Amino acid sequence: MAFGRRGTKRTLEAEDPQNNGEDCIDNISMEEDDNTNQTTQPATSTNTTTKSLPLLSEIIKFSQKKWSCKHCKKTFTSSYTRIHHHFFGAPVGKKADISRCTAMITNKAELQRIQAMVQAAESNGETQSLPKSTIQNSKVPRLGVQKNVIAESFGTIERQQLDVIIVRALCANGIPFNVLRNPDFINMIKAVTHGPTDCKPPPYDRARTTLVDEVYREVEKELAPVKDTWITQGTSIVSYGWSNVKNQPLINVVASNSRGSMFLYADDFSGVEKSGKNIANYLLKSIEEIGPSNVLQVVTDNAANCKLAGKEIEKVHKHIFWSPCVVHTLNLMFKDFAASFSWMNETYEKGKEIVKYFKNHQNAYYIFRTHSDLELLKVAKTRFGSHYLLLERLSKCRDALAITVVQRAWKDWLKMGDDTVGKRVAANINDPDFWEEVDNIIKITKPLFMMIKFADGEGPKMGEVYEKMDCMIGEMKDTLQNNKHIGDWGRMEEILVNRWEKMNIPMHCLGFALNPHFYDVNYLQTSAPGGLPRRAPNSDKEVVNGVIQAFDKIGEDELERRVLRKQLAAFQAKEGIFGTYAARTDAVIMNPVSWWSTYGSQTPELAEIALKILSQPISSSSAERVWSTWAFYDKRISQEVLGDALGEEFKGYVFKIKEGCDKQGFPMKQGVLTPGRVRLLLHRVKKGENDLPGLTDTEKPRMRGSKRTSKIRKLFNLNKDDDVRKYVNTYRRTFTNKADNVSVFFIELYDLIITMHAIMKGTHTRTVRSCARSPSGKMLTTASFDATTAVLENIGGDYECVSTLETRLMKCGSKVAKGYRDEVQIDSVGYCVLHYFVYLSCD
């Protein structure tokens, strides 16, 4: 049904109540807006009553059902019921098929005027009320439709006004919109909603004093379960020193075990000498707060003053071990390799020069970005495994770099000046020997890098580090078997063993000996990397000596040490409960800490030691500002961080910091400058080992690409005789037009330009810049660089030009073509770009 035929009086009857109000405009009389051709038709029934439609005075009618709102200036195609819903909204329990008038939402007085006009017309009998009218039926809900408490208490207009007030407050205080996703902010809004009607924010003085103390006590209560594990599983004091953005020397202190890491405090050491004695006194204070009997080790970096501090602590507390950070030691192995092998150092320096050149020259970097989805990594000095990360990213970007240096834009860039560095960079990129060495370094050092990733993180890893180190050395040896640098293995092994001997402590050996997984028969039958057979911990002389030294430190007297050794022998021989089928099976699949909690009752003294030893970390990552939970501290926007610290599901991912806010909602101007919790918006740079549901587990087709034939030929290195249509994106989306059930295909813009090249011949004198077609495909509009816009019509399968716009002297704005209702917006530089294309009246 429609408003009526052109030039005639519409005589329509009132809607039948059985019609459910779907097309209430049917059978309601209405006059044509214009006064031309006002010939009347006689009524078809004597019972037909002529009724007026008051809302028609608030719209501009184009044709039949097509109309435009005078207030919001939007154009729709609908019945009178949709006009009613456009101004007043859909009734409760019914979905609105048309958007609300934005002017009515913001202008309450105008809405009340229109509402009063419609109520007066309905009460006077000028028009009948709709069966689902939001005016007459809003007070009495229909049967079968439940009351919406939220809709009644928070109307649409009031909700809109409240949202505006909230957003204005965020903008006035510089708070990012991401705070709206913060669970604490959502809880605050809910609390205010259910609070008193005259709820006010807390006073400033009270918020910064008593209320902060109360929040601190609540956090302490939440951390109480973690503190309780310090007694049963023990804990490690992890410390790390660094300088903040104000160049103030700080030292972090964190308590860490299998339940997680808990930040204790960080003090400023300005004006204090960072000597071993001062650091030892600082850490002894935290040991006394936790309880000396609950602390098993102190983990710091490998600096001389930290090593001296560890010895001072061992003098005070005999049972406490000082452990150097495993990650720092592994990172030093990378540096020793670069210093010992010239071919490795030269390759790394060339790679670093390439990255530095592109990072420091924006034009060159722009050319590279047009061909690569990945960014080059300019690794910071404090980044672990920087040699591997830089070269690995270069290897992934090799094709993009090769395309970049052969582009005409790159050659023009080099001609702008005598850039010898740029020429050297291009020569290195085109050098196959350079990329061969890059691949060799990546293959050789990958086991070392994977070991860094394993060690650099929170969690109980004390029982695995010894075996992991042996496997790492074996994997590197296997990699070099078929490599041209096989002659360098002797020196590499010497570097690895020397660093391991400096890092290894008796606690590592004891953790290895107490891990039940390494006594499994099936595991011992497998061959170890490097060609050597696997051996149980009690078969390794070095491990046995380390266990004896550890028992000497832990045991208070010889009797206790003898008991521990006897129970360890029973565990290794799988006597009693240790030899049952359940214990042997769970030793492979269960966590070592959980296994000892389940089957350690036969040896209670040894089980207590095993729970504490196996629950300890092996690195100071939890207290550092790189690669860990605290890694985002002091990180700037656009810097890249590893996703391992976010959870096991993010292992292997690399993210770039795009924006964020601190726990108070304030935006990050430079980066993460607070040691507390922050909310970050991260961009995925590299995909990890596992897929993330909803993010990386589905492939989305690329919908945009080069649209000009010259760029497509340049991208794929094609000749003029090649068909570029085979290299363009052919992805299409299909939509269904509900009105006439016609499928409309939205084809890529460059596809249209290529296929319509012959049709445009003779219409434009220069290249077609953009084009668009109507939903039915009958009309086509094109815009060219010659400042003309053509309107073409599909006649018998061929397009003929029916109108041409001369836009040379046209200013930025819109213009109506000859006789058509199409709007062509011209850009400010006069290129005559067709920005949007609306329905044509003849279509």
Side-chain angles (χ1 to χ4, degrees), residues 76-95:
F76 303 94
T77 301
S78 68
S79 62
Y80 185 76
T81 303
R82 303 295 183 268
I83 299 176
H84 195 281
H85 293 171
H86 176 66
F87 287 98
F88 306 117
V92 178
K94 180 176 177 61
K95 179 181 179 180

Side-chain angles (χ1 to χ4, degrees), residues 289-346:
E289 293 180 1
I290 297 176
S293 60
N294 299 330
V295 179
L296 273 77
Q297 70 169 344
V298 174
V299 184
T300 63
D301 58 18
N302 300 343
N305 55 349
C306 295
K307 186 175 182 179
L308 181 59
K311 293 182 178 180
E312 293 292 333
I313 294 174
E314 289 180 345
K315 292 179 182 179
V316 179
H317 301 287
K318 179 185 175 183
H319 67 283
I320 295 179
F321 294 86
W322 172 78
S323 175
C325 179
V326 174
V327 181
H328 283 81
T329 305
L330 296 173
N331 191 55
L332 292 176
M333 295 180 183
F334 269 113
K335 297 182 179 181
D336 292 341
F337 284 168
S340 301
F341 306 107
S342 59
W343 60 273
M344 188 177 293
N345 184 59
E346 291 176 1

Side-chain angles (χ1 to χ4, degrees), residues 552-571:
D552 291 341
K553 286 183 64 69
I554 295 174
E556 297 182 357
D557 50 28
E558 183 60 30
L559 179 61
E560 184 177 354
R561 301 187 193 104
R562 189 180 300 112
V563 171
L564 293 176
R565 291 193 296 266
K566 182 178 180 180
Q567 294 181 356
L568 177 63
F571 160 69

Side-chain angles (χ1 to χ4, degrees), residues 309-553:
K311 293 182 178 180
E312 293 292 333
I313 294 174
E314 289 180 345
K315 292 179 182 179
V316 179
H317 301 287
K318 179 185 175 183
H319 67 283
I320 295 179
F321 294 86
W322 172 78
S323 175
C325 179
V326 174
V327 181
H328 283 81
T329 305
L330 296 173
N331 191 55
L332 292 176
M333 295 180 183
F334 269 113
K335 297 182 179 181
D336 292 341
F337 284 168
S340 301
F341 306 107
S342 59
W343 60 273
M344 188 177 293
N345 184 59
E346 291 176 1
T347 304
Y348 175 69
E349 292 297 332
K350 289 180 181 180
K352 188 165 62 173
E353 184 181 37
I354 294 174
V355 174
K356 184 178 179 180
Y357 182 84
F358 278 95
K359 287 287 188 179
N360 294 341
H361 297 82
Q362 296 181 358
N363 291 342
Y365 205 32
Y366 171 76
I367 300 173
F368 165 76
R369 282 176 170 173
T370 57
H371 304 288
S372 176
D373 296 332
L374 296 176
E375 300 285 340
L376 295 177
L377 292 180
K378 187 176 180 180
V379 185
K381 293 182 180 180
T382 57
R383 188 75 175 255
F384 297 137
S386 58
H387 301 71
Y388 181 88
L389 292 172
L390 187 144
L391 296 178
E392 183 193 33
R393 180 55 58 86
L394 269 182
S395 178
K396 292 182 178 180
C397 299
R398 177 180 179 178
D399 295 339
L401 290 171
I403 296 175
T404 301
V405 296
V406 297
Q407 295 292 316
R408 180 178 300 176
W410 170 268
K411 297 178 181 179
D412 295 340
W413 158 255
L414 294 181
K415 291 180 181 179
M416 294 176 61
D418 185 14
D419 195 349
T420 57
V421 180
K423 296 178 180 178
R424 187 168 63 249
V425 167
N428 291 332
I429 293 176
N430 293 325
D431 186 8
D433 295 335
F434 166 74
W435 293 110
E436 182 183 0
E437 296 296 349
V438 169
D439 294 337
N440 289 333
I441 295 176
I442 294 175
K443 292 178 182 178
I444 294 172
T445 59
K446 184 177 181 180
L448 178 57
F449 179 76
M450 298 306 296
M451 183 64 190
I452 290 180
K453 291 187 63 176
F454 163 77
D456 187 40
E458 298 183 67
K461 301 177 181 180
M462 184 63 67
E464 302 178 52
V465 60
Y466 197 97
E467 180 71 4
K468 290 281 187 180
M469 282 296 301
D470 285 344
C471 293
M472 181 201 74
I473 297 175
E475 291 174 0
M476 294 182 67
K477 182 178 179 180
D478 292 340
T479 305
L480 279 168
Q481 291 300 322
N482 299 323
N483 195 283
K484 66 179 183 178
H485 298 291
I486 183 62
D488 296 332
W489 169 243
R491 176 57 182 158
M492 289 183 182
E493 186 178 17
E494 182 182 355
I495 293 174
L496 296 174
V497 174
N498 290 339
R499 287 292 180 183
W500 169 242
E501 290 177 353
K502 295 179 181 180
M503 175 182 63
N504 188 24
I505 61 174
M507 197 172 182
H508 294 156
C509 299
L510 181 58
F512 178 47
L514 292 176
N515 193 330
H517 174 67
F518 299 128
Y519 295 92
D520 181 63
V521 177
N522 296 327
Y523 176 78
L524 295 176
Q525 290 177 353
T526 59
S527 60
L532 298 177
R534 297 188 184 275
R535 294 186 298 175
N538 57 342
S539 301
D540 193 326
K541 180 180 178 180
E542 182 182 0
V543 175
V544 175
N545 291 332
V547 171
I548 295 175
Q549 295 178 17
F551 282 162
D552 291 341
K553 286 183 64 69

